[in-house]
Amino acid sequence: MRTLLSPLPNLGNISPGVPGRLRLLRTLSTSIPNLKKNDQLPPRPNIPDDSFTKRFLKGSGPGGQKINKTSSAVQLTHLQTGIVVKSQATRSRTQNEHIARRILAEKLELIEKGTESRVAKKQERASRKKRSAEKKSRRKYRKLADENPGVRAGEEGRQDEDLEEESEEDKDEEELGASEVVKMRIQLPLKPTDQVER
Amino acid sequence: MPRLPPVLISQAARLDRHLPLLLRECRDLNSARNELRWMQEAVDEPQREGSIGTRSAGPHDHALASFVKRRARGEPIQYILGTQPFGELDIKCRPGVLIPRPETEVYTTELARIIQKVQVEAEATSKHCYIVDFCTGTGCIALLLHSLLKPPTPQQHGKFRQLRIRGFDISQHALRLSAENTHHNLELRALHKDAVQDICFEHLDLLALAQQPKEKIITTLYHKYEAQPLDLIVSNPPYISPQQYKPGGSTTKSVRKFEPKLALVPPDSLLFDGVDQADQFYAALIRIAVASRARLLVVEVGDTEQALRVRDMCRAHQEAWIEIWKDDNTVVSDTGVPFDSRQGFEDRIDARVVAMWFDPEWIKWRKQSLVRRN
Ligand SMILES: C[S@@+](CC[C@H](N)C(=O)[O-])C[C@H]1O[C@@H](n2cnc3c(N)ncnc32)[C@H](O)[C@@H]1O
């Protein structure tokens, strides 16, 4: 989990970006050789260290030894766009900072690349998976029902389904629970869900 | 403490039956909800290994209820859950040893950045790095410095030097816990494997050492395997005065009731004449830093007034470049002038650190890098 949440190493390349769009990201320019499935996701986006300011949120009053505060909330403000992302998902400020930074990078990538962005592709993949799982489930249920009449559809039919293991990448979404985009000053050019769901 | 407004309590009760109890100590709904979630996760933790969907309700709810009850009585969540995250580390916490604070995490991270830079950029600096952490407690400062200066992930280290970190404490509880913390974080792969050899925790009474003649201080701090001079002495010593500690003072009840007084208030048998009881450890640390010719001494302080007293003590003793760091990471000169666009002391953000630079080459480097920062 640690490596998942750590920021990517900066390879120092600035992506050329799409003309006419904001150039916000320092995406990894190494293209993935030999795409096995066209399903493969683009690399996780990252942003330069100096493109945002960081604030640890805590109540007022004295600090240090005299008090034991448990606030671990971290808030990042993107300088160019004014987008503010806050995370208090975990007890660790360092992890919260990684999480907030990832959300911010994803937001910016979405603005910059739209349907070509990692987030959009991921959503598309997830809904495709869901559709195929449902199809499989229906098929299985029909088969079961044929063999021993009386079996009910629903949960049982699904449980032993050979659904693909949730990959590490999909899991980290769950941790974003207590994190949020606090402020978006700019308008997204497009909503990814509109695009993929048709 | 002011009473909680009844609306807040009923609002909390509607969300979860545990929240009103947690509010007593947390004081606001947001932190109460966070803490409840963290306790819930800790209670669920062992379950994750097993199969999903077989969650038995009984014992868990019981465990959670007892956590909440303890918290409502003021017990720190870190003693209840047994840990506190600190940088990339997971620091074990137990009654008898002070819980690491977020302010300490912030300046220790900054300190690692400085040490890394000065090692690369300043002249007259060797490839060795020798650090002493006095009053180490859980070992959090020593361990975080190691995790940042020699990170565990292979792609991150480049040209590496030898790193040696020694942590000292008078408390046996602290020494046991700091050793455990080294192994715990090695197991988590949050520390480089060299940490076992690079870091050691030892018993030492700082106030007693400060009374020794200079030669004795030197032999205590330098064995043959340590580089000379000492690059950094860092310390978060007990710094609360008896007035601040007593009920009604600025020390919160939970801290007084659950954390060790040994870690918070210096002893009342005063070693240094004319020095406040709260400042006794700083007098000792300055004397030791000067005797051992340390390049840099960095100490945590309780507030701005204490920072200024430490500055004056240091000025009277030795020529040095002195900085005061505030909780918002602003660096202020020893005359109170900020080095960047932010404010000096007038914004009332507490001073948290006094950094005393003794090495001429390091001072030269530091002044230049502060100019570049603007
Ligand atoms: C405020 S705690 C700091 C702990 C840790 N460094 C941190 O930042 O969380 C102070 C520590 O000083 C230790 N201590 C108290 N008196 C001491 C002495 N005379 N010599 C050395 N250590 C002492 C206490 O046991 C305690 O662990």
Side-chain angles (χ1 to χ4, degrees):
Chain A
M1 191 178 76
R2 275 171 40 74
T3 46
L4 257 183
L5 296 185
S6 323
L8 289 165
N10 284 328
L11 299 189
N13 281 307
I14 311 273
S15 73
V18 186
R21 285 236 180 101
L22 288 166
R23 241 216 277 144
L24 303 166
L25 294 164
R26 181 186 296 178
T27 32
L28 298 176
S29 67
T30 42
S31 62
I32 301 160
N34 205 354
L35 290 177
K36 277 194 228 93
K37 333 177 223 174
N38 53 4
D39 201 19
Q40 198 133 11
L41 290 176
R44 177 163 288 158
N46 193 17
I47 45 175
D49 286 336
D50 55 7
S51 66
F52 58 86
T53 58
K54 172 173 80 185
R55 212 154 67 84
F56 296 117
L57 305 176
K58 54 162 199 171
S60 54
Q65 293 169 9
K66 293 173 195 163
I67 186 165
N68 176 14
K69 291 194 186 110
T70 47
S71 168
S72 59
V74 177
Q75 183 171 298
L76 304 183
T77 306
H78 188 248
L79 295 171
Q80 199 182 334
T81 59
I83 297 176
V84 178
V85 177
K86 176 179 162 184
S87 173
Q88 50 187 336
T90 74
R91 293 170 66 213
S92 155
R93 287 181 166 195
T94 307
Q95 296 305 342
N96 289 346
E97 189 179 332
H98 291 331
I99 292 170
R101 184 173 174 151
R102 195 171 68 228
I103 296 175
L104 184 56
E106 285 175 358
K107 279 281 161 286
L108 295 170
E109 197 208 19
L110 194 60
I111 293 168
E112 189 180 279
K113 297 191 189 158
T115 42
E116 288 307 299
S117 70
R118 184 184 158 89
V119 213
K121 294 227 163 182
K122 231 162 118 172
Q123 272 192 17
E124 184 193 87
R125 192 164 78 169
S127 55
R128 206 162 49 218
K129 236 193 234 170
K130 195 168 148 221
R131 278 198 299 274
S132 99
E134 278 164 6
K135 222 184 285 168
K136 264 195 207 163
S137 173
R138 255 177 274 142
R139 224 167 28 231
K140 182 145 188 173
Y141 166 64
R142 265 203 306 275
K143 198 165 151 242
L144 274 173
D146 287 350
E147 283 165 6
N148 38 1
V151 167
R152 282 182 42 232
E155 285 306 304
E156 293 132 87
R158 272 242 191 138
Q159 245 169 40
D160 48 351
E161 190 69 53
D162 52 337
L163 284 181
E164 261 181 81
E165 270 283 303
E166 208 184 36
S167 72
E168 276 295 311
E169 282 182 351
D170 293 334
K171 269 188 205 149
D172 56 46
E173 287 296 85
E174 293 163 17
E175 285 159 23
L176 308 186
S179 313
E180 52 178 339
V181 177
V182 181
K183 201 166 74 186
M184 286 282 285
R185 219 184 274 153
I186 48 174
Q187 206 53 45
L188 287 183
L190 40 83
K191 280 220 209 90
T193 38
D194 298 343
Q195 302 291 316
V196 289
E197 298 283 29
R198 257 160 305 159
Chain B
M1 227 177 323
R3 279 180 58 108
L4 291 164
V7 244
L8 182 62
I9 298 174
S10 54
Q11 190 192 356
R14 274 198 301 279
L15 289 167
D16 190 293
R17 70 193 165 91
H18 294 304
L19 285 174
L21 272 174
L22 286 176
L23 266 182
R24 287 192 197 163
E25 189 59 28
C26 298
R27 308 309 294 176
D28 69 86
L29 200 52
N30 191 33
S31 4
R33 289 176 81 170
N34 278 336
E35 291 200 7
L36 182 61
R37 194 177 68 244
W38 297 328
M39 287 183 197
Q40 182 80 61
E41 283 166 7
V43 166
D44 289 343
E45 187 81 21
Q47 279 270 310
R48 272 188 212 151
E49 327 279 82
S51 59
I52 310 154
T54 56
R55 189 177 184 280
S56 52
H60 283 281
D61 292 352
H62 188 73
L64 183 64
S66 103
F67 280 3
V68 170
K69 216 155 99 193
R70 286 165 66 185
R71 185 74 187 109
R73 292 204 196 105
E75 186 171 344
I77 192 171
Q78 296 89 342
Y79 287 156
I80 298 173
L81 302 181
T83 59
Q84 169 62 45
F86 197 75
E88 299 275 1
L89 306 176
D90 188 49
I91 298 291
K92 288 193 183 192
C93 298
R94 270 203 299 266
V97 186
L98 191 98
I99 296 160
R101 303 291 198 259
E103 291 85 359
T104 309
E105 181 183 347
V106 171
Y107 71 75
T108 303
T109 306
E110 174 63 12
L111 199 50
R113 212 183 55 83
I114 289 175
I115 293 296
Q116 196 149 36
K117 277 199 150 172
V118 77
Q119 288 270 332
V120 176
E121 294 173 13
E123 289 167 50
T125 298
S126 68
K127 288 255 176 245
H128 299 265
C129 180
Y130 174 30
I131 296 171
V132 167
D133 172 22
F134 283 110
C135 305
T136 193
T138 53
C140 59
I141 299 178
L143 295 170
L144 182 56
L145 286 174
H146 196 279
S147 91
L148 294 168
L149 292 172
K150 205 190 246 191
T153 36
Q155 81 264 19
Q156 282 176 290
H157 23 114
K159 17 144 208 295
F160 219 78
R161 54 179 174 266
Q162 262 177 297
L163 183 58
R164 172 124 188 104
I165 304 179
R166 293 169 80 188
F168 294 109
D169 206 286
I170 199 172
S171 147
Q172 295 296 343
H173 289 299
L175 292 173
R176 257 196 308 276
L177 194 57
S178 55
E180 271 179 48
N181 272 321
T182 310
H183 288 102
H184 177 56
N185 283 285
L186 276 164
E187 262 166 34
L188 293 175
R189 296 177 192 275
L191 282 175
H192 190 279
K193 62 178 175 15
D194 290 354
V196 191
Q197 303 113 53
D198 294 349
I199 310 173
C200 63
F201 293 107
E202 299 158 72
H203 180 265
L204 182 125
D205 180 344
L206 175 68
L207 297 174
L209 178 67
Q211 282 175 287
Q212 300 291 323
K214 189 176 167 194
E215 294 68 40
K216 177 74 175 121
I217 294 176
I218 290 174
T219 53
T220 305
L221 293 180
Y222 297 112
H223 296 302
K224 55 182 180 302
Y225 42 79
E226 271 112 26
Q228 288 195 38
L230 228 165
D231 292 289
L232 167 68
I233 293 179
V234 56
S235 183
N236 176 14
Y239 57 61
I240 301 179
S241 71
Q243 298 85 293
Q244 292 169 331
Y245 189 75
K246 67 170 193 261
S250 44
T251 312
T252 59
K253 194 166 164 208
S254 163
V255 170
R256 271 187 285 123
K257 205 163 141 198
F258 291 95
E259 297 193 85
K261 192 175 178 186
L262 174 71
L264 300 164
V265 185
D268 46 22
S269 53
L270 303 190
L271 208 67
F272 294 91
D273 285 342
V275 175
D276 288 0
Q277 183 174 336
D279 303 340
Q280 288 286 315
F281 279 90
Y282 302 118
L285 285 160
I286 291 169
R287 162 147 170 81
I288 291 169
V290 170
S292 64
R293 302 175 37 126
R295 290 185 148 124
L296 173 61
L297 168 63
V298 170
V299 297
E300 178 172 327
V301 293
D303 52 39
T304 305
E305 288 77 58
Q306 190 163 41
L308 296 175
R309 293 198 302 273
V310 173
R311 170 200 70 184
D312 292 343
M313 245 191 287
C314 181
R315 268 190 191 158
H317 218 78
Q318 177 81 5
E319 197 166 319
W321 169 257
I322 305 172
E323 295 163 1
I324 293 171
W325 302 354
K326 301 196 303 176
D327 270 343
D328 62 350
N329 252 343
T330 317
V331 178
V332 176
S333 81
D334 63 353
T335 52
V337 180
F339 286 107
D340 48 31
S341 54
R342 286 174 283 189
Q343 294 188 46
F345 295 132
E346 57 278 7
D347 58 7
R348 291 157 160 266
I349 292 174
D350 264 332
R352 187 62 55 212
V353 164
V354 183
M356 293 156 269
W357 301 71
F358 301 112
D359 182 280
E361 289 297 332
W362 279 30
I363 293 174
K364 202 169 97 193
W365 170 83
R366 177 60 172 171
K367 288 182 179 169
Q368 281 167 0
S369 78
L370 283 171
V371 171
R372 262 181 273 138
R373 229 167 103 137
N374 299 332

